[in-house]
Amino acid sequence: MLKDVTLLLNAVGVGNCFLLSLVYLKRKSPGSPTAKPLLSALFFVIGIVILNTIFNLSGYSRELNGFEPISNAMAFAIAPLLYLYVCNLEGRKTHTLRSGHLAHFYAYLGITVLSISFPHSTFGQWGLRFVDSLAMISLWNLHFLAYLVAIIHRFWKSPKYFGWTAQLLVWGVGSIWFLNFSFYLFRLWIGPLPIVVYLNITLLFSALTVYLFYHKISLIEARRIRKKRKKPSAVGKDLIVAAIRRHRYYRDPDLDIRTLSGHLRLPYHELSTWINRNHDQNFNTFINRFRIEEVSEALKTQQHQSYTIMGLAQQAGFKSASAFYAAFKKEKGTTPIDFLKRLA
């Protein structure tokens, strides 16, 4: 009875995985559009892995010759896809499904497909032994661990780039891998485990994707309601600008759009769209206007007699003199010194 219920719940998880894969494949977002195909591929692969467990433990794997080794090969893509997704959120470099990080997965998948296609050939027999060997299982776990360490390092180094979805996926998938690895060591050193245990591992994947799916639905519904209640853009503009001035968020020299969106409690891609639409500027230029405004007011009130001009600039959030002078010249059309002379 327990096995049947677990199989049914896993089947729900498979459906959610494929549905999420389709949603992220079609979803367009100004935030990080290259991350969406990676998420789509990740959910598709997880769905295949869960489906393989269902087929394997319900007795249908014999009728689907080749599905299990292909599924095992696709599991090699989980860690690098998660890593590439995290990298894209940082925005330093754009990664796609053609990334070199997936080369070993494509090679392993190619060997598996060729071995299944030509099972009686020398290559086919070698390939099937190779993909089912203990060495490949060990390699997969080491490969997963290496990528997981790299991902956690990025989380630790730049936590401001990673929102709720990324954290849920990384810690959720990482915890499931650790549990699976523990069961693998138990099976290797002590003895086999009940079938339901293996079903419950993939059930954790199912629970993760179901939770993510319904969380996304609630967010979409909340945004739809917000749009209905949304005030004219001029009001929104006044509120955002007023909040930035009142709290002086621009004084943070490391301020970026994700940090500011957190302060304002807005999705960062909505804030980015708002800045582009209402100001026709990138984020740095938009924030530098507030900094220049503060420095200009300080110069008008003779505060430069107590502080140096660069001291005022640093207080306003500028990291370097070159950035300050370039921004001042761009905004005011003159240098700070010439600006002071005009005030005299």
Side-chain angles (χ1 to χ4, degrees):
M1 178 67 179
L2 180 60
K3 176 184 173 183
D4 293 337
V5 172
T6 310
L7 282 169
L8 181 61
L9 292 174
N10 271 294
V12 173
V14 170
N16 271 278
C17 284
F18 291 153
L19 190 55
L20 277 171
S21 178
L22 184 62
V23 167
Y24 278 105
L25 186 63
K26 292 187 174 182
R27 186 179 177 188
K28 294 182 179 179
S29 169
S32 182
T34 53
K36 306 308 175 186
L38 295 170
L39 268 185
S40 177
L42 177 62
F43 286 121
F44 179 79
V45 168
I46 292 175
I48 292 294
V49 170
I50 300 173
L51 190 60
N52 174 61
T53 303
I54 294 173
F55 287 153
N56 198 22
L57 298 180
S58 60
Y60 289 100
S61 58
R62 295 177 183 177
E63 300 177 17
L64 298 167
N65 183 35
F67 185 82
E68 183 174 1
I70 289 177
S71 171
N72 293 337
M74 294 190 73
F76 253 94
I78 295 177
L81 282 172
L82 195 57
Y83 175 77
L84 295 176
Y85 166 64
V86 166
C87 290
N88 277 17
L89 292 180
E90 285 186 307
R92 296 180 184 177
K93 185 179 178 182
T94 298
H95 295 275
T96 67
L97 292 173
R98 294 191 294 270
S99 170
H101 286 278
L102 290 166
H104 50 283
F105 156 66
Y106 292 130
Y108 185 50
L109 182 61
I111 292 172
T112 303
V113 171
L114 288 174
S115 300
I116 294 170
S117 302
F118 306 99
H120 302 297
S121 66
T122 303
F123 176 83
Q125 292 176 6
W126 169 84
L128 291 174
R129 287 196 303 271
F130 173 73
V131 298
D132 289 333
S133 65
L134 182 63
M136 284 306 300
I137 298 175
S138 302
L139 180 61
W140 181 84
N141 282 290
L142 289 173
H143 156 271
F144 203 109
L145 177 61
Y147 273 106
L148 193 60
V149 169
I151 292 169
I152 292 174
H153 174 71
R154 287 183 176 273
F155 267 40
W156 174 78
K157 190 176 180 181
S158 307
K160 59 188 177 184
Y161 292 109
F162 310 112
W164 179 88
T165 300
Q167 293 186 37
L168 177 67
L169 281 172
V170 169
W171 297 118
V173 172
S175 300
I176 294 169
W177 166 81
F178 179 77
L179 187 61
N180 181 68
F181 182 61
S182 301
F183 289 157
Y184 164 70
L185 293 179
F186 184 94
R187 186 174 70 249
L188 188 65
W189 293 337
I190 300 176
L193 291 164
I195 290 176
V196 176
V197 171
Y198 302 110
L199 275 173
N200 284 331
I201 294 175
T202 52
L203 187 58
L204 292 174
F205 271 128
S206 300
L208 177 68
T209 55
V210 168
Y211 182 74
L212 182 61
F213 177 72
Y214 285 104
H215 180 79
K216 288 297 179 186
I217 286 180
S218 64
L219 284 180
I220 291 170
E221 181 64 17
R223 287 173 186 168
R224 186 183 66 81
I225 293 172
R226 268 203 314 268
K227 285 181 180 179
K228 283 186 176 181
R229 298 176 179 174
K230 198 171 183 181
K231 296 180 179 180
S233 60
V235 176
K237 176 180 177 182
D238 289 343
L239 288 175
I240 291 174
V241 170
I244 295 172
R245 286 197 177 114
R246 182 171 65 253
H247 297 287
R248 296 180 178 179
Y249 296 130
Y250 56 83
R251 282 190 167 187
D252 177 4
D254 296 316
L255 185 70
D256 59 24
I257 194 165
R258 289 181 180 273
T259 305
L260 181 59
S261 67
H263 291 320
L264 298 173
R265 296 183 180 179
L266 286 172
Y268 83 95
H269 55 80
E270 289 185 14
L271 179 60
S272 176
T273 302
W274 179 86
I275 292 172
N276 291 332
R277 182 183 299 134
N278 290 280
H279 296 272
D280 194 25
Q281 295 173 332
N282 61 33
F283 176 76
N284 288 334
T285 303
F286 172 72
I287 289 300
N288 281 342
R289 288 182 62 187
F290 293 95
R291 293 166 175 162
I292 295 300
E293 180 181 293
E294 178 174 314
V295 174
S296 300
E297 289 301 316
L299 293 176
K300 288 177 183 178
T301 55
Q302 302 296 307
Q303 291 185 36
H304 63 286
Q305 294 179 359
S306 301
Y307 298 90
T308 64
I309 294 177
M310 194 55 215
L312 293 173
Q314 290 175 334
Q315 181 177 275
F318 284 102
K319 276 187 173 182
S320 65
S322 59
F324 164 62
Y325 283 108
F328 197 98
K329 183 70 180 291
K330 182 177 181 180
E331 182 68 22
K332 297 295 184 181
T334 185
T335 65
I337 300 298
D338 289 337
F339 182 81
L340 269 177
K341 289 179 182 179
R342 292 179 185 178
L343 295 175

